[in-house]
Amino acid sequence: MSTPDQFTVTRVKEAVAARSDGALLSATVPHADTLQFTIEKTAMRAVVEELVNELQARFMISVGTDK
């Protein structure tokens, strides 16, 4: 796996923030090859579509939690 450069990380974070319509709660880089987003469930479809269709990213996992 390759490590994304800072430009790529920033570009992806900005694209997700724009597509989530304010539902992006956090964006972190927990590992060198991983971007992790916490979003409101209402934005899930729009964010995944942005990542997969526009940024050609792989959607690896989705985890839901009850509050």
Side-chain angles (χ1 to χ4, degrees), residues 26-65:
S26 69
T28 60
V29 183
H31 307 287
D33 63 349
T34 304
L35 299 176
Q36 181 175 337
F37 301 100
T38 303
I39 59 171
E40 294 289 339
K41 65 182 177 183
T42 56
M44 182 67 166
R45 184 179 189 109
V47 168
V48 171
E49 286 176 350
E50 179 71 20
L51 290 169
V52 174
N53 297 333
E54 302 302 323
L55 299 174
Q56 287 74 50
R58 290 185 308 157
F59 181 72
M60 300 290 290
I61 189 168
S62 174
V63 177
T65 59

